[in-house]
Amino acid sequence: MLQGRREEVPDRGRKKILILGVGNLLLSDEGVGVHVAERMMEMELPPGVEVMEGGTDGFGLMHVILEADRLILVDAVKGGGPPGSVYRFDVEDCPTAPDVFKTSVHQISILEVIHLSGLIGSTPQTTIIGVEPKSTSMGMELSPEVEAEIPKVIRTVQEVVAASLDHFPENRVVSA
């Protein structure tokens, strides 16, 4: 199920910046993206910026990805660093082909969905904020190492949003 915060401000040609937190909340640190999205939904964000938790929807997220002009994806990423390490990279830096043989479309990853979006529309400029998990065992709680890095993850997302707003002047708030 998708949940998100919709902006109340009229569109006025603004570009849509989507912060999408994905992962499985039942597998402890694998759900870090969803935890970050839930916390950012409580924050005041600039006009045109939307936060959504995408869970494990895979192909179900295609329409929200296609509607975004800029995508900031938050997810667990195994990069080989210590638990809680925060990574930042662009989707173009990720392989387009799956690294393992898959037997079902249900096994499609969010990276594959982002890459496939270019076949039926346009792939938004995408930055991935990844967090090294400690545990992906059953459990709803984040490990202490990953939980401690949530403020850093949110600051990193905010930095990407701020840089994106520099490229979308139509999203700036004009004071009267």
Side-chain angles (χ1 to χ4, degrees):
M1 168 190 265
L2 296 177
Q3 296 180 356
R5 187 176 113 187
R6 291 277 176 197
E7 178 184 320
E8 303 295 330
V9 178
D11 184 327
R12 294 189 207 135
R14 288 189 174 109
K15 301 293 185 181
K16 181 177 177 180
I17 300 171
L18 176 63
I19 301 165
L20 180 62
V22 297
N24 189 333
L25 279 175
L26 300 176
L27 298 176
S28 51
D29 292 342
E30 216 287 314
V32 65
V34 176
H35 285 277
V36 169
E38 289 175 346
R39 293 181 196 183
M40 292 198 76
M41 285 181 198
E42 303 300 320
M43 301 171 73
E44 191 70 32
L45 298 169
V49 178
E50 183 177 327
V51 179
M52 181 173 286
E53 71 95 345
T56 57
D57 261 358
F59 260 133
L61 297 172
M62 181 67 81
H63 71 285
V64 295
I65 291 170
L66 288 170
E67 292 173 358
D69 297 295
R70 179 78 166 93
L71 177 63
I72 303 165
L73 182 75
V74 183
D75 196 4
V77 171
K78 289 187 176 181
S85 295
V86 179
Y87 308 110
R88 176 180 167 175
F89 51 97
D90 291 327
V91 74
E92 294 84 14
D93 299 330
C94 300
T96 57
D99 56 351
V100 294
F101 180 75
K102 295 183 179 180
T103 58
S104 166
V105 293
H106 300 288
Q107 295 174 322
I108 193 163
S109 74
I110 188 66
L111 288 178
E112 291 168 294
V113 173
I114 292 169
H115 287 297
L116 289 172
S117 67
L119 297 176
I120 59 173
S122 63
T123 302
Q125 180 185 4
T126 303
T127 298
I128 299 165
I129 309 299
V131 182
E132 184 79 34
K134 177 180 183 185
S135 170
T136 55
S137 59
M138 291 293 292
M140 299 280 292
E141 302 296 321
L142 295 171
S143 67
E145 292 87 347
V146 170
E147 178 68 41
E149 295 303 319
I150 295 291
K152 180 179 179 182
V153 174
I154 291 173
R155 282 193 308 274
T156 303
V157 170
Q158 290 171 324
E159 289 170 7
V160 175
V161 167
S164 300
L165 290 173
D166 288 342
H167 296 286
F168 297 147
E170 57 272 58
N171 285 40
R172 290 194 184 115
V173 176
V174 178
S175 301

